[in-house]
Amino acid sequence: MAKKKSSHILTVFNQLLSDIFERNGNKPLNYKQVAAKLNLNDPESRDTIMELLKDESKKGLFREVDRGKFQLKEQKTLVTGIVSMTSDGSAFIIPEDEFEEDIYVAPRKLRTALNGDKVKIYVFAKSKGKRKEGEVIEIIQRAKMDFTGILKVSERFAFFIPDDRKMLHDIFIPLGELNGAKHGEKAIARITDWPEGAKNPIGSITRVLGIQGENNTEMNAILAEYGFPLQFPDEVENEANSIPENISNEEIAKRRDFREVLTFTIDPADAKDFDDAISFRRLENGNYEVGVHIADVTHYVKPDTALDKEAFDRGTSVYLVDRVIPMLPERLSNGVCSLRPKEDKLCFAAVFELDKDANVINQWFGKTVIHSDRRFSYEEAQEVIEGNSEDLKEEIHILNDLAYKLRDRKFKHGAISFESTEVKFKLDEQSRPIGVYVKERKDAHKLIEDFMLLANRKVAEFIAKKGRGKKRLTFVYRAHDAPNEQTLASFAQFAARFGYKINTKSDKEIARSLNTLMEDVEGKKEQNVLTQLAIRSMAKAIYTTKKSSHYGLAFDFYTHFTSPIRRYPDMMVHRLLEHYLNEGQSVNEEAYEKMCLHTSQMEKKAADAERASVKYKQAEYLENNIGREYTGIISGVTEWGMYVEIIENKCEGMIRLRDITDDFYVLDEKNYCIIGQRKKKKYQLGDEVTIMVKKVDLSKRQIDFTLLHRKAGEE
């Protein structure tokens, strides 16, 4: 502990010394002059400064330009940013200031900084034409201290090899810190110390995950890798279990009662957390009343409780291939809050009066009590839509017709339709993949989606228009920026290879041509590659208090109101909507923006974890198909290889450039291709190739292919 403290004090002192030289134009100063500028005039302090100047000169921070006179070796400035590691042990620091360029840091100048850490760095004076370089002087905040990996135990010590490819240091584990873990087991290790000058950090095993390669072990490892806890703390479970399920007459009296109005849910067949229901009735004037009723989670989960803190920390539920890791304990997510059929349930609702053209004539937001009459799966609702079932036939047909009109209007206003293929696995009893299929999105899915979009949009619009200018109310929006022009231009150039034209003259033209592309490409071999590239060319949607518009949906105001069982931002929206409906004052914007940033980050981590679980199952599926030939599409190109997505099952693997022996291939980044240096043969993104499954590494979730040949008839 003393070592850590002295190291931190030394860093701060070095910073003070550097500031003195920078403020004095880096003129040479002796130790007495430096001491005087720091108001330290006692002999002991002067001697300490002299020692520091000499020590740091040896390390390269200062140089002795004349006997006893020092200056900064190079003029430096201080920058704070996030570490992005590269595979060779160096890193780029992404500055907090988005207008600053990234700064390169050599491996020896990283100190003990790890990928994702927030650090302070010195930036060296930039020579003309050279990139900015720097060195880490302080680690402000570690991105993570817990890692998943494999334990290697010998007689006198143990090492832990992290799964994270960007964690380039093994962790030394003293034998007394194994906590029951055995050689070769997969576990979670926590870094506890990193002595100055030591190559490796020291840690302890905090949890044994199990035998490498077992499904449960690997799924839990993915969750732990992305920072999601594997269970709820006892305090949180106890709080959830103490919440009564019965609803008092007193509570019902405070709400608008929809129990006699036809209400139903439409969800996946295996869903248990039903957080939205639709109510429907014809009005005497010929219009329709459609209620979007959302589970009233915040009625049960109060701020500053253990339940609420845990939900905020998680930020979201995580959907892995074979399991759901809920944001809230099962008693709430699948029980108390879930809008199960034939039960009275408390909701927060957006109720609309719609005419036959799906125009909103009136709207109401408030607390309701419902009694769901019927639970439809998407497949059952689709049967009704297609005329193969009579169950609530008239009501579902009217709702589907209204949804079509809402959708049509949305696209006319410039919304973009991204229908990317979603890969699903058929699993056996041990959760091993025995088949792969692509999930279809039909009208039943879109019906629910369009009414959820309506509710989200109208809630955001209602709050945004309630207070304008200086009276603007702080609110949580789901914002989405317009795409970066350069990125979009690159995508348009690539799409042109397949004969698709992207008009980039205006936002509406971009949206129109992207939608035409998405329609034309549906069902074709290049669909997934083009859709994924188009999505990548778009900005990422985030939660924020600062902007309200959503480019991709072409809505001026948009939020997330409809899924509070599985998303914390929806809980924030429910609390704020209730607060403002009760004429509450605007809340602290800065505090809510910090919450938005956290939930956006957790959303990304959940998406990464979900992707990792798909990659694992793809690798597991192809492990039984080593040596088999497939036709695939080149889905990505890098300096070390090209990714190929198999058309038949959407599994993606890599052909390493070193394994293509007919030429020496290099990346042509601008044209999304690799090109042979002698024969000029090209392999371009979107090309169809024949591959053979060469090798599968389950622990790394990697699939290697061997390139056999291009499809016949290609150059």
Side-chain angles (χ1 to χ4, degrees):
M1 189 71 188
K3 263 187 184 177
K4 274 188 183 176
K5 198 170 180 184
S6 63
S7 171
H8 178 68
I9 290 167
L10 185 66
T11 301
V12 172
F13 218 94
N14 281 345
Q15 200 172 309
L16 285 170
L17 293 180
S18 299
D19 287 348
I20 293 294
F21 282 93
E22 284 186 342
R23 282 203 297 269
N24 285 273
N26 205 24
K27 288 175 186 170
L29 301 171
N30 64 31
Y31 74 102
K32 289 180 183 176
Q33 291 169 311
V34 173
K37 289 180 187 298
L38 287 168
N39 292 320
L40 298 171
N41 295 310
D42 58 287
E44 196 180 340
S45 295
R46 284 180 171 186
D47 289 346
T48 302
I49 288 167
M50 183 62 180
E51 279 176 37
L52 275 172
L53 287 167
K54 285 193 168 179
D55 285 349
E56 293 304 311
S57 292
K58 287 174 189 170
K59 291 179 188 174
L61 186 56
F62 298 100
R63 63 180 174 185
E64 195 168 1
V65 290
D66 206 352
R67 189 176 173 81
K69 284 201 165 187
F70 300 86
Q71 68 177 173
L72 282 169
K73 195 168 182 183
E74 291 175 301
Q75 188 72 31
K76 302 179 182 184
T77 54
L78 297 175
V79 169
T80 300
I82 302 296
V83 177
S84 177
M85 293 292 293
T86 66
S87 56
D88 66 359
S90 63
F92 286 92
I93 308 302
I94 302 156
E96 284 183 329
D97 183 345
E98 61 184 296
F99 299 108
E100 285 280 334
E101 63 180 287
D102 294 352
I103 300 142
Y104 174 79
V105 178
R108 62 194 169 80
K109 292 185 177 175
L110 267 173
R111 305 280 166 102
T112 63
L114 300 173
N115 188 59
D117 288 353
K118 186 177 183 180
V119 295
K120 188 172 280 185
I121 63 166
Y122 281 119
V123 182
F124 305 134
K126 186 181 172 187
S127 304
K128 199 172 181 182
K130 285 194 173 180
R131 66 185 171 192
K132 274 190 181 180
E133 293 193 23
E135 73 175 297
V136 173
I137 58 150
E138 184 187 352
I139 295 161
I140 298 168
Q141 188 179 0
R142 289 283 190 196
K144 64 178 185 177
M145 299 295 274
D146 293 344
F147 294 86
T148 64
I150 303 296
L151 184 67
K152 302 288 182 187
V153 183
S154 64
E155 262 183 58
R156 299 207 305 270
F157 57 85
F159 269 102
F160 182 83
I161 302 156
D163 292 330
D164 188 340
R165 286 179 223 166
K166 293 199 170 185
M167 172 55 171
L168 305 177
H169 305 270
D170 294 344
I171 302 168
F172 176 77
I173 311 286
L175 294 181
E177 298 293 335
L178 292 177
N179 294 320
K182 296 181 181 68
H183 177 78
E185 282 189 317
K186 198 148 201 171
I188 301 172
R190 175 169 294 159
I191 293 175
T192 53
D193 193 16
W194 200 329
E196 202 168 332
K199 186 185 172 189
N200 298 87
I202 296 169
S204 65
I205 301 297
T206 59
R207 184 175 178 134
V208 177
L209 293 170
I211 298 164
Q212 186 180 7
E214 285 188 354
N215 182 68
N216 220 36
T217 301
E218 298 300 339
M219 291 298 121
N220 282 338
I222 287 169
L223 289 167
E225 184 183 336
Y226 290 99
F228 290 97
L230 305 182
Q231 59 199 40
F232 287 98
D234 290 343
E235 186 188 5
V236 172
E237 290 282 12
N238 292 339
E239 256 186 34
N241 291 334
S242 69
I243 292 171
E245 202 158 343
N246 61 306
I247 302 167
S248 68
N249 289 330
E250 187 185 6
E251 184 57 43
I252 288 171
K254 295 177 191 172
R255 294 168 177 262
R256 196 164 153 186
D257 196 338
F258 276 80
R259 288 177 296 173
E260 298 302 316
V261 181
L262 173 68
T263 304
F264 54 88
T265 59
I266 306 178
D267 290 281
D270 57 354
K272 290 172 186 162
D273 55 341
F274 313 130
D275 50 12
D276 56 81
I278 299 278
S279 69
F280 176 84
R281 63 180 160 193
R282 287 175 181 273
L283 299 174
E284 287 179 7
N285 62 5
N287 289 339
Y288 308 109
E289 180 193 82
V290 179
V292 179
H293 301 266
I294 308 301
D296 193 358
V297 174
T298 55
H299 173 78
Y300 298 103
V301 181
K302 300 298 183 188
D304 301 321
T305 58
L307 253 176
D308 186 57
K309 285 172 185 167
E310 181 72 12
F312 173 70
D313 285 346
R314 291 173 179 242
T316 178
S317 295
V318 189
Y319 293 82
L320 302 188
V321 167
D322 68 335
R323 68 193 68 193
V324 178
I325 312 305
M327 181 180 78
L328 297 165
E330 219 167 278
R331 176 169 166 76
L332 289 176
S333 57
N334 295 355
V336 177
C337 297
S338 186
L339 308 183
R340 298 183 300 200
K342 311 298 181 188
E343 294 179 22
D344 288 357
K345 291 289 178 179
L346 301 181
C347 292
F348 206 157
V351 182
F352 304 104
E353 180 186 341
L354 300 170
D355 66 16
K356 286 183 170 61
D357 293 318
N359 296 306
V360 176
I361 308 303
N362 284 304
Q363 62 185 26
W364 176 87
F365 306 104
K367 300 289 184 103
T368 60
V369 57
I370 67 161
H371 187 94
S372 175
D373 298 286
R374 171 81 158 89
R375 187 241 151 150
F376 285 96
S377 68
Y378 282 120
E379 291 76 14
E380 288 168 340
Q382 190 63 33
E383 286 287 296
V384 179
I385 290 168
E386 290 175 4
N388 300 321
S389 168
E390 298 293 310
D391 205 350
L392 299 184
K393 179 182 173 182
E394 188 186 353
E395 292 84 354
I396 285 179
H397 275 271
I398 291 168
L399 285 166
N400 192 45
D401 183 54
L402 292 170
Y404 257 96
K405 286 168 180 169
L406 288 168
R407 203 176 312 145
D408 190 47
R409 194 174 301 141
K410 178 182 71 179
F411 290 131
K412 276 180 180 163
H413 286 153
I416 300 166
S417 168
F418 288 123
E419 291 287 339
S420 58
T421 51
E422 190 181 342
V423 176
K424 290 283 185 182
F425 294 88
K426 288 175 187 157
L427 305 174
D428 66 13
E429 287 173 6
Q430 281 77 45
S431 292
R432 287 188 297 255
I434 52 174
V436 186
Y437 64 97
V438 174
K439 183 180 166 186
E440 273 190 277
R441 262 172 45 83
K442 295 189 173 178
D443 282 351
H445 297 84
K446 294 173 185 176
L447 183 160
I448 288 298
E449 184 182 277
D450 283 308
F451 282 107
M452 297 306 122
L453 290 175
L454 177 66
N456 287 334
R457 175 167 62 96
K458 288 298 183 181
V459 165
E461 196 176 275
F462 171 72
I463 296 298
K465 291 181 176 176
K466 196 171 168 67
R468 298 269 179 112
K470 287 183 180 176
K471 292 184 179 178
R472 182 180 176 271
L473 300 173
T474 297
F475 198 57
V476 173
Y477 295 101
R478 179 68 168 172
H480 183 226
D481 277 343
N484 173 289
E485 283 180 24
Q486 198 175 340
T487 315
L488 193 64
S490 296
F491 172 69
Q493 186 185 349
F494 176 67
R497 287 191 68 246
F498 294 90
Y500 303 109
K501 191 174 186 308
I502 307 294
N503 187 334
T504 57
K505 280 180 184 172
S506 69
D507 285 354
K508 276 205 170 175
E509 285 302 324
I510 291 167
R512 190 176 289 124
S513 48
L514 279 172
N515 285 336
T516 303
L517 165 65
M518 292 303 137
E519 280 174 32
D520 291 350
V521 85
E522 197 165 342
K524 292 181 183 167
K525 64 183 191 309
E526 66 266 22
Q527 178 180 357
N528 223 24
V529 173
L530 281 170
T531 305
Q532 291 307 318
L533 267 181
I535 290 169
R536 274 184 236 159
S537 73
M538 296 285 117
K540 296 283 179 282
I542 57 165
Y543 297 107
T544 180
T545 60
K546 298 181 186 302
K547 301 169 189 165
S548 63
S549 64
H550 196 293
Y551 174 84
L553 292 170
F555 293 156
D556 291 334
F557 307 101
Y558 193 64
T559 189
H560 273 172
F561 167 76
T562 53
S563 293
I565 288 177
R566 61 184 179 89
R567 292 189 303 227
Y568 194 84
D570 301 54
M571 286 175 61
M572 291 158 66
V573 164
H574 279 220
R575 284 178 183 146
L576 289 173
L577 179 60
E578 183 177 12
H579 178 67
Y580 295 138
L581 284 169
N582 293 329
E583 302 304 323
Q585 295 296 302
S586 187
V587 298
N588 183 295
E589 185 177 342
E590 194 179 337
Y592 268 85
E593 187 59 29
K594 278 183 185 170
M595 291 163 81
C596 285
L597 177 63
H598 168 75
T599 51
S600 294
Q601 288 169 341
M602 293 312 291
E603 177 189 39
K604 185 185 182 305
K605 284 183 181 180
D608 289 343
E610 288 159 24
R611 248 191 313 275
S613 80
V614 169
K615 290 276 181 201
Y616 182 81
K617 288 298 169 194
Q618 287 180 335
E620 198 177 12
Y621 179 70
L622 287 184
E623 193 179 33
N624 299 319
N625 290 281
I626 288 173
R628 189 171 164 187
E629 292 183 21
Y630 290 99
T631 302
I633 296 279
I634 297 174
S635 55
V637 286
T638 70
E639 58 198 28
W640 56 86
M642 53 187 179
Y643 289 97
V644 174
E645 183 187 85
I646 296 171
I647 293 170
E648 179 187 316
N649 53 37
K650 306 298 175 193
C651 294
E652 189 180 59
M654 172 172 271
I655 299 165
R656 298 184 187 276
L657 295 193
R658 64 171 182 259
D659 294 339
I660 310 175
T661 54
D662 67 334
D663 202 342
F664 179 73
Y665 287 89
V666 294
L667 173 68
D668 178 353
E669 202 170 353
K670 193 179 174 187
N671 293 304
Y672 299 101
C673 69
I674 62 158
I675 185 164
Q677 294 301 280
R678 286 183 296 109
K679 300 174 188 173
K680 303 300 177 193
K681 191 179 193 180
K682 276 185 193 174
Y683 289 98
Q684 196 142 10
L685 210 64
D687 280 353
E688 203 168 292
V689 290
T690 304
I691 56 92
M692 183 178 76
V693 182
K694 177 188 175 187
K695 190 177 82 173
V696 169
D697 187 329
L698 274 180
S699 64
K700 291 180 180 172
R701 305 189 281 274
Q702 282 180 353
I703 302 163
D704 280 358
F705 294 149
T706 299
L707 178 67
L708 297 180
H709 53 79
R710 277 178 197 269
K711 201 178 174 202
E714 293 194 348
E715 62 170 88

